[in-house]
């Protein structure tokens, strides 16, 4: 009873605060053997004890404009520069911090437990699954881009973005697929990168039988829903808080990270360790990694713009999160999440909510994105049609669906878990919805092997306590990439240590399907791949940080 009560309490806030402190960079003198079977060795960088850490002097270079990968394809001059820069990076001495593989190893260090947080001997610095996912990767790309520019002496050089949020950009970017180019990587799923196959943002290692145009529509809907359902609360989009020293929290990545995982899985090899893109320890060895993350970064920029450029987390523990990188002057520099945001407070253009105008956010980092159409922001029919709904009611194949109860349940791929969940309040007024967002919360998610795991979540309105055969609306997903770890004896360790949680906003969804007057909802969890147990499904009202705006 008592435990149940506590669980509920922690469910409402971001989790128990252990130290209430921002994530700090690790002690670089203590790099541990990163445990990832896809690596033949460790991924620690060479360590130079005489190296000092400086404050980063933000650049005063021209504003760099990142362009869509499918549109730079015919810009031979740009492509030659890009290839030359990567070639030079690959040719640097192996120990050089700018060397291509040293740069790739940075990603491994910060996601495969190479560094522990300061003053701990067992809490790794982990840059995924939380609110530091986006800022850390933004800086990672920023320095990478500037180093490439430096190598070819071009301070306007940019990494292109994989524009997977538009139909024309939904195939693997051709510029990475020329086997004679330094941008090429043979460790990819050849079925996906060769044929102009359409990227499936719900990919789970089985090919989607739907037609290309249907996959495109589903992708655009997934992106639209992700923005719409998480617009009033940044953690739903960006991930939950993580603070220094916290060990027992349930990690929760935001839906943008979930979407991004699908591209990793879809590009990486389908078998073995899923190299390169499909496993975090090797992902950044593929040049397309940076191109993919450039679009992830752009999605964040658009999200911020749609929210009127307001700071996502007015919380020192996010704003003061601090990271270390080698900059384009070979300096080891320290950067904070807040530093990249500061000019936005004074940005002169008044972005109107709901409008992508001429005012994406050029930041102190001196880059921005070329503006291209955002088809997912327009009107697309992403809800089930009325026809499907009425068919469900007349089929009379209604089944009784129970509550989740208190026992953890293993998801079963052939038999989706369906539970009936009471809503805290129905018929909420507009003002109440602006103050609190309704959220499905799935807790104690345990991925029980090191394989990639994915489940998708659907919501439907029950008929009394009965559920129709249709799962209803797709809301969002949980995805954990393969996170292989080698045990001390060299064999693969079984089972991820930490439990996770998934939070999906449904206020806008309930409006879309006209379900605001339902007392209860049927929530269906469909396991797509991997092995997962969950500890509970509930619906909560969480304080918004900005009124719903889309
Ligand atoms: Cu650090 Cu795409 O992941």
């Amino acid at each position: 009873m008592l435990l149940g009560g506590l669980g509920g309490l922690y469910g409402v806030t971001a989790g128990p605060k252990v130290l209430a402190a921002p994530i700090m960079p690790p002690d670089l003198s203590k790099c541990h053997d990163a445990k990832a079977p896809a690596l033949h060795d460790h991924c620690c960088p060479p360590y130079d004890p005489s190296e000092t850490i400086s404050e980063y002097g933000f650049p005063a270079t021209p504003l760099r404009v990142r362009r869509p990968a499918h549109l730079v394809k015919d810009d031979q001059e740009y492509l030659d520069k890009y290839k030359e820069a990567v070639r030079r990076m690959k040719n640097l001495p192996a120990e050089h911090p700018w060397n291509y593989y040293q740069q790739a190893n940075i990603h491994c260090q910060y996601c495969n437990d190479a560094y522990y947080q300061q003053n701990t001997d067992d809490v790794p610095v982990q840059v995924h699954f939380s609110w530091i996912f986006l800022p850390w990767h933004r800086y990672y790309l920023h320095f990478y881009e500037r180093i490439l520019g430096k190598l070819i002496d071009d301070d306007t050089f940019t990494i292109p973005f994989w524009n997977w949020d538009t139909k024309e950009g939904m195939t693997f970017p051709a510029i990475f697929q020329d086997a004679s180019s330094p941008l090429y990587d043979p460790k990819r799923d050849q079925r996906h990168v060769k044929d102009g196959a359409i990227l499936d943002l719900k990919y789970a290692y089985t090919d989607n039988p739907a037609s290309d145009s249907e996959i495109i529509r589903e992708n655009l809907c997934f992106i639209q829903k992700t923005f719409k359902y998480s617009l009033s609360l940044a953690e739903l989009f960006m991930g939950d808080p993580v603070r220094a020293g916290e060990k027992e929290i349930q990690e929760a990545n935001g839906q943008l990270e979930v979407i991004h995982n699908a591209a990793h899985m879809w590009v990486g090899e389908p078998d073995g360790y899923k190299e390169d893109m499909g496993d975090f320890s090797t992902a950044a060895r593929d040049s397309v990694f940076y191109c993919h993350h450039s679009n992830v970064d752009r999605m964040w920029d658009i999200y911020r713009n749609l929210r009127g450029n307001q700071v996502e987390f007015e919380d020192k523990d996010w704003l003061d999160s601090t990271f270390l990188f080698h900059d384009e002057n070979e300096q080891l520099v320290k950067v904070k999440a807040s530093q990249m945001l500061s000019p936005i407070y004074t940005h002169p253009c008044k972005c109107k909510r709901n409008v992508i105008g001429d005012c994406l956010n050029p930041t102190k980092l001196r880059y921005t994105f070329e503006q291209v159409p955002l088809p997912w922001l327009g009107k697309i029919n992403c809800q089930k049609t009325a026809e499907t709904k009425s068919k469900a009611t007349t089929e009379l194949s209604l089944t009784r669906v129970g509550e989740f109860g208190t026992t953890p349940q293993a998801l079963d791929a052939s038999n989706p878990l369906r539970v009936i969940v009471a809503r805290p309040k129905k018929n909420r007024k507009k003002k109440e919805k602006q103050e609190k967002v309704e959220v499905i919360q799935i807790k104690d998610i345990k991925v029980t092997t090191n394989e990639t795991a994915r489940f998708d979540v659907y919501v439907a309105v029950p008929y009394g306590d009965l559920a129709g055969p249709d799962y209803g609306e797709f809301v969002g997903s949980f995805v954990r990439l393969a996170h292989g770890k080698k045990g001390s004896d060299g064999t693969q360790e079984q089972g991820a240590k930490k439990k996770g949680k998934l939070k999906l906003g449904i206020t806008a969804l309930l409006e879309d399907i006209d379900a605001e007057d339902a007392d209860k909802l049927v929530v269906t969890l469909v396991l797509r791949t991997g092995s997962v147990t969950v500890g509970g499904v509930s619906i909560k009202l969480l304080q918004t940080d900005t009124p719903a705006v889309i």
Side-chain angles (χ1 to χ4, degrees):
M1 237 7 258
L2 184 63
L3 281 178
L6 280 175
L9 182 65
Y10 290 147
V12 178
T13 62
K17 285 193 188 182
V18 178
L19 287 174
I23 295 294
M24 284 291 136
D27 175 350
L28 297 187
S29 71
K30 295 183 187 142
C31 188
H32 303 264
D33 197 7
K35 301 179 187 81
L39 295 167
H40 302 298
D41 201 355
H42 58 78
C43 59
C44 290
Y47 172 65
D48 172 2
S50 69
E51 195 169 34
T52 54
I53 300 171
S54 359
E55 296 294 328
Y56 182 48
F58 280 82
T61 43
L63 187 68
R64 299 171 191 233
V65 184
R66 294 187 183 165
R67 294 156 66 203
H70 68 282
L71 296 182
V72 298
K73 177 164 117 267
D74 303 317
D75 183 342
Q76 204 49 47
E77 192 188 331
Y78 167 77
L79 278 184
D80 288 346
K81 280 189 188 173
Y82 189 13
K83 288 190 260 183
E84 184 55 24
V86 173
R87 186 174 299 117
R88 290 187 186 180
M89 200 179 229
K90 286 187 168 170
N91 288 339
L92 286 171
E95 308 276 277
H96 195 289
W98 294 354
N99 174 281
Y100 186 82
Y101 295 97
Q102 292 296 345
Q103 285 289 312
N105 277 348
I106 296 172
H107 193 254
C108 166
Q109 290 146 25
Y110 288 97
C111 60
N112 291 77
D113 302 7
Y115 291 121
Y116 299 151
Q117 293 180 29
Q118 287 186 24
N119 308 321
T120 74
D121 54 11
D122 59 348
V123 188
V125 185
Q126 172 55 260
V127 296
H128 301 91
F129 326 128
S130 78
W131 66 359
I132 63 169
F133 169 69
L134 290 168
W136 186 87
H137 287 79
R138 174 168 286 183
Y139 274 126
Y140 183 32
L141 257 69
H142 168 71
F143 290 113
Y144 194 80
E145 179 169 83
R146 299 184 69 81
I147 291 167
L148 286 174
K150 184 90 176 194
L151 285 167
I152 50 166
D153 197 22
D154 178 353
D155 63 6
T156 65
F157 176 80
T158 50
I159 305 167
F161 59 88
W162 181 2
N163 195 184
W164 39 248
D165 58 308
T166 191
K167 179 177 167 212
E168 297 70 28
M170 257 181 224
T171 53
F172 186 79
I175 60 168
F176 296 95
Q177 209 25 40
D178 163 11
S180 65
S181 152
L183 303 176
Y184 182 73
D185 183 342
K187 293 185 173 179
R188 294 176 182 151
D189 188 331
Q190 294 305 326
R191 300 165 307 169
H192 295 156
V193 297
K194 265 191 183 151
D195 312 316
I198 305 293
L199 165 67
D200 174 11
L201 292 179
K202 291 192 198 128
Y203 187 61
Y205 291 110
T206 45
D207 281 315
N208 189 335
S211 66
D212 284 359
S213 61
E214 181 54 21
I215 301 174
I216 293 169
R217 197 190 66 88
E218 280 185 27
N219 286 342
L220 295 176
C221 285
F222 193 178
I223 298 168
Q224 177 174 90
K225 287 181 175 195
T226 292
F227 275 79
K228 193 166 171 181
Y229 301 167
S230 63
L231 208 59
S232 65
L233 183 59
E235 64 201 40
L236 301 177
F237 189 79
M238 297 176 64
D240 263 16
V242 62
R243 301 171 206 275
E246 280 180 342
K247 207 171 162 183
E248 300 301 335
I249 55 157
Q250 295 203 1
E251 294 163 326
N253 44 15
Q255 280 295 291
L256 178 58
E257 191 179 343
V258 167
I259 286 189
H260 126 282
N261 281 336
H264 273 277
M265 293 155 65
W266 190 80
V267 175
E269 288 183 332
D271 305 310
Y273 296 129
K274 316 282 195 261
E275 292 158 82
D276 279 333
M277 277 284 276
D279 186 291
F280 282 150
S281 68
T282 55
R285 291 178 183 176
D286 188 335
S287 286
V288 83
F289 171 95
Y290 304 91
C291 179
H292 173 40
H293 271 274
S294 185
N295 203 43
V296 172
D297 194 55
R298 176 175 158 266
M299 291 287 117
W300 176 22
D301 205 35
I302 296 169
Y303 178 78
R304 167 165 263 262
N305 192 265
L306 287 169
R307 289 163 41 100
N309 291 330
Q310 107 180 23
V311 173
E312 292 83 349
F313 303 99
E314 291 282 3
D315 185 322
K316 294 283 276 175
D317 288 350
W318 183 68
L319 295 164
D320 289 345
S321 317
T322 306
F323 317 117
L324 283 184
F325 289 95
H326 279 101
D327 73 2
E328 75 277 20
N329 299 311
E330 292 189 48
Q331 272 293 325
L332 189 57
V333 296
K334 192 162 87 175
V335 283
K336 277 185 187 180
S338 60
Q339 287 172 312
M340 60 168 73
L341 304 172
S342 44
I344 285 156
Y345 291 113
T346 55
H347 197 283
C349 89
K350 299 213 179 354
C351 295
K352 276 209 208 88
R353 290 191 161 156
N354 213 4
V355 175
I356 289 277
D358 290 318
C359 46
L360 286 184
N361 312 305
T363 67
K364 238 174 155 173
L365 304 182
R366 304 305 297 150
Y367 73 90
T368 187
F369 300 93
E370 182 173 303
Q371 291 198 39
V372 292
L374 303 174
W376 48 268
L377 195 62
K379 228 180 149 29
I380 340 171
N381 187 10
C382 294
Q383 275 66 53
K384 297 246 165 193
T385 60
E387 194 198 347
T388 333
K389 272 191 202 163
S390 56
K391 213 164 95 206
T393 38
T394 52
E395 260 173 18
L396 286 181
S397 46
L398 301 181
T399 44
R400 189 158 297 282
V401 176
E403 289 172 9
F404 188 92
T406 50
T407 324
Q409 302 203 41
L411 301 186
D412 171 356
S414 54
N415 186 20
L417 176 66
R418 308 197 73 193
V419 289
I420 198 151
V421 189
R423 295 175 63 206
K425 188 156 193 269
K426 65 173 183 173
N427 294 325
R428 295 199 304 139
K429 305 268 170 331
K430 184 160 181 226
K431 189 157 181 304
E432 295 176 276
K433 292 181 190 172
Q434 285 175 343
E435 281 164 5
K436 288 188 176 162
V437 55
E438 189 161 347
V439 172
I440 293 182
Q441 187 161 299
I442 300 167
K443 65 169 185 177
D444 296 329
I445 303 171
K446 202 156 160 44
V447 175
T448 49
T449 69
N450 290 312
E451 298 298 307
T452 299
R454 169 176 208 121
F455 66 82
D456 296 337
V457 180
Y458 295 80
V459 159
V461 178
Y463 309 94
D465 276 347
L466 302 176
D470 194 280
Y471 300 155
E473 273 320 303
F474 170 73
V475 199
S477 308
F478 173 89
V479 180
R480 190 54 47 98
L481 284 198
H483 203 71
K485 299 224 165 145
K486 243 183 252 164
S488 42
D489 59 354
T491 59
Q492 186 146 333
E493 257 176 34
Q494 284 305 300
K497 281 178 288 191
K498 275 190 189 161
K499 288 180 183 167
K501 126 176 136 238
L502 175 65
K503 288 158 48 177
L504 298 167
I506 54 167
T507 301
L509 176 146
L510 296 179
E511 281 177 3
D512 286 342
I513 62 168
D514 211 6
E516 187 46 51
D517 61 353
D519 299 301
K520 294 175 181 178
L521 297 173
V522 180
V523 179
T524 304
L525 311 188
V526 180
L527 182 68
R528 304 278 317 285
T529 188
S531 163
V532 178
T533 63
V534 300
V537 182
S538 56
I539 300 177
K540 312 252 187 238
L541 294 173
L542 304 186
Q543 204 73 47
T544 57
D545 54 27
T546 187
V549 277
I550 203 167

